[in-house]
Amino acid sequence: MKAMIFAAGLGTRLRPLTDTMPKALVPVGGRPLLKILIEKMIAAGVTEIVINVHHFAEQIVRFVEEHRSFGIRIAFSDETAGLLETGGGIKQAVPLLTAGSMGEERFLIHNVDILSNVDLGDFYRQARPGAAVLLVSERQTQRYLLFDDDDRLVGWTNLKTGEVKTPYPHLDVNACRRYAFAGIHLISSRLFPRFEAWGPKFSIIDFYLSVCHEEPIYARVCPDLRLMDVGKQDTLAQADAFLLTCV
């Protein structure tokens, strides 16, 4: 199993910690977020990881080297010239992700600042066939991905503003299933050629929304999902206790 970790963010909501270190190395429970996620991925069966880097990139590279790449193959996608967002980050990393691959393959994508009780191995092995599978839940939020009765992606909405994004001109938003995205997903290499129509910087969710009428992109609903975004100070204070029960 191959994976990509998004670790290039500036971590502005975690200042002043991130004034001197990247968000990926912020400690939770005595361990950097990056170490927590890499070890969880290895336990799930991941053997190769690509990490995108930008803010204090050299610290992340040195950290991985000091840990001898945790005994697996770890490569770095360098975004120090400029952040590429989630879609652009995957697009740039395609040569690293597909190195040595034969035929269509799926890749696990995970934000470095997400802690959860998700069994990543189970998520990978039991995901239904398709171009992508998005881990979602019924968590309350203002922004939802929209799915049909077969849990296939059809759109996105912001309840606060009423904005809707969809390739379907007559989509009935009220008839759709609404789920919150967890920042964890699987993407098939069959989608990579479609990146060529996009510039270097774009959102992977916007990309999914642009192709979901042509490519099957499904939800994997996790009703008992426990998840914490450690990207801000108020959750960082709770993360130690969360980590003991969920990771």
Side-chain angles (χ1 to χ4, degrees):
M1 189 192 320
K2 298 181 182 179
M4 180 172 183
I5 297 175
F6 288 140
L10 298 175
T12 53
R13 294 176 298 168
L14 283 173
R15 286 176 174 165
L17 287 173
T18 49
D19 287 337
T20 56
M21 70 171 68
K23 176 172 58 177
L25 297 186
V26 169
V28 172
R31 291 185 293 160
L33 286 166
L34 183 61
K35 187 173 191 288
I36 292 169
L37 181 52
I38 290 176
E39 290 177 342
K40 182 173 183 176
M41 284 183 165
I42 291 173
V46 172
T47 57
E48 298 184 24
I49 298 175
V50 174
I51 304 172
N52 69 342
V53 292
H54 172 82
H55 186 55
F56 292 117
E58 71 287 350
Q59 290 189 30
I60 295 176
V61 173
R62 185 167 61 249
F63 175 80
V64 171
E65 290 176 345
E66 288 172 350
H67 286 79
R68 299 183 180 181
S69 296
F70 295 86
I72 63 171
R73 177 183 176 271
I74 296 182
F76 299 96
S77 183
D78 188 351
E79 296 184 22
T80 52
L83 288 168
L84 300 176
E85 298 188 30
T86 49
I90 297 173
K91 178 181 178 180
Q92 176 169 285
V94 164
L96 296 172
L97 288 168
T98 58
S101 296
M102 298 290 290
E104 185 176 339
E105 191 171 0
R106 276 181 164 183
F107 303 91
L108 173 67
I109 312 293
H110 200 302
N111 293 352
V112 75
D113 56 0
I114 296 294
L115 300 176
S116 77
N117 63 341
V118 176
D119 183 328
L120 297 177
D122 178 74
F123 173 56
Y124 184 90
R125 290 186 295 270
Q126 296 192 23
R128 63 194 295 184
V133 179
L134 316 182
L135 186 70
V136 299
S137 73
E138 296 179 336
R139 172 175 56 88
Q140 297 299 304
T141 182
Q142 292 294 326
R143 292 173 293 182
Y144 288 98
L145 293 174
L146 303 173
F147 297 85
D148 65 16
D149 290 341
D150 191 36
D151 281 335
R152 179 168 173 169
L153 181 68
V154 293
W156 171 95
T157 187
N158 184 322
L159 296 183
K160 185 175 182 178
T161 65
E163 181 184 5
V164 175
K165 296 180 181 180
T166 178
Y168 297 96
H170 305 294
L171 182 70
D172 182 356
V173 174
N174 293 323
C176 296
R177 297 178 177 179
R178 300 186 309 199
Y179 297 122
F181 181 46
I184 304 169
H185 50 122
L186 299 176
I187 185 170
S188 170
S189 57
R190 67 191 267 185
L191 289 178
F192 292 166
R194 290 181 176 266
F195 286 162
E196 295 307 313
W198 292 67
K201 181 178 179 180
F202 60 94
S203 158
I204 192 62
I205 293 299
D206 285 346
F207 170 79
Y208 286 151
L209 291 170
S210 76
V211 300
C212 64
H213 60 307
E214 298 174 337
E215 296 281 0
I217 298 172
Y218 294 110
R220 169 72 183 274
V221 185
C222 187
D224 60 346
L225 177 66
R226 296 187 62 199
L227 179 144
M228 177 174 286
D229 175 357
V230 195
K232 47 192 175 182
Q233 285 283 0
D234 57 344
T235 52
L236 184 61
Q238 308 164 30
D240 287 3
F242 185 92
L243 186 63
L244 292 175
T245 60
C246 287
V247 180

